[in-house]
Amino acid sequence: MKTIFKSGENADAIKQAAAILQNGGLVAFPTETVYGLGADALNAEAAAKIYAAKGRPSDNPLIVHIADKNAVYELAYNVSEKAVMLMEAFWPGPLTIILPKKNIVPYGTTGGLNTVAIRMPSHPVALSLIKESGVYIAAPSANTSGRPSPTNAEHVKEDMDGRIDMIIDGGAVGIGIESTIVDMTGEIPTILRPGFVTKKMLEDIVGPVTTDKAIVCPDAAYKPKAPGMKYTHYAPKGELTIVESITNDNTAVIDKINSLVKEKTNAGHNVAIISSEENSGKYNCKNIFIAGSVSKDETVAARIYGILRQCDDISADFIFSEAFDKGALGSAIMNRLLKAAGQRIINV
Ligand code: AMP
Ligand code: MG
């Protein structure tokens, strides 16, 4: 298969991509969170192609992208008052809502579940593509399963060239981590995956919200309610370790990372550091990637996946990262980083 590349600014690109989707093909496209790999969500055969291209486990369901809030009623039952309040408050935007699925949605899209994940993205290219094609687009992140999610078209090309029909290049995404997923099938809304829309933002709209236990205690024996959250994910090829101070002792973190870097470098390994802007001058290492400022954690969210890919580009054997858990996006960033690290964390 030869992959077509087109810029999102090319008016023809959306038309061509829409035709591919209507014919059951695969198109990668930008959203405000990460790049998605899209197929017709109501066509089980087309959805199956997504799993094949990504090497994605078949029990890991896909998010259905819509361009009009009313589409929810075609896809799902029991759209509660609270669900509507969240749709009104956060759509279009980085919030995915889980509801009981209608028969029209094939099990091939929902990984065999009786529920469906739905989101209305805000990225203009994503919205135009859904509208132009007239298709609800099932779209997980456009990476090979297990690799960091793509935040620009080059990342998609690295993983998907020759495996999909088309990539629409809309430049770098704005947010950089996947949508918040909230399960609206129970009495109390439950966060299954933290994201740009925080618990506080949800609670300001609908009152009390809980978080899936498996997210809060990733080490414990809880099974995540979002099947995808159980897989080691977002991981670079090198061994990533997070170094954190429970007492906010920044110097202790820097000293520990410097000593780990020295030890691994002396043993002949290629080592990288993921640093905050504030600390970047305090390390002795030839590969220092600056994730962003601790006081502006949206910069960290936007860069973190790209940095994990850069660690692969330089063939880093060992990667040591600071923790980025302080700001509003702290739980979303740390959820991704801890998974990339296989939960490896050193407390100093
Ligand atoms: P991705 O788009 O690659 O970030 O993956 C979609 C995420 O949504 C995965 O973690 C899935 O497990 C989760 N998801 C999709 N549909 C459902 C559903 N019906 N119930 C729970 N989680 C879901
Ligand atoms: Mg993904």
Side-chain angles (χ1 to χ4, degrees), residues 37 39-41 46-48 50-51 54 56-57 59-65 96 108-111 115-118 137-141:
L37 177 56
D40 179 350
I50 293 180
Y51 289 88
K54 281 179 61 84
R56 183 175 175 102
D59 70 339
N60 190 358
L62 309 173
I63 295 172
V64 180
H65 293 70
T96 296
T109 294
T110 66
T115 52
V116 58
I118 308 175
I137 305 181
S141 49

Side-chain angles (χ1 to χ4, degrees), residues 239 258-271 317-318 320:
E239 184 184 286
N258 273 329
S259 92
L260 288 165
V261 168
K262 197 169 169 192
E263 178 196 319
K264 295 297 183 195
T265 307
N266 287 346
H269 297 298
N270 191 22
V271 187
D317 304 307
F318 290 91
F320 299 103

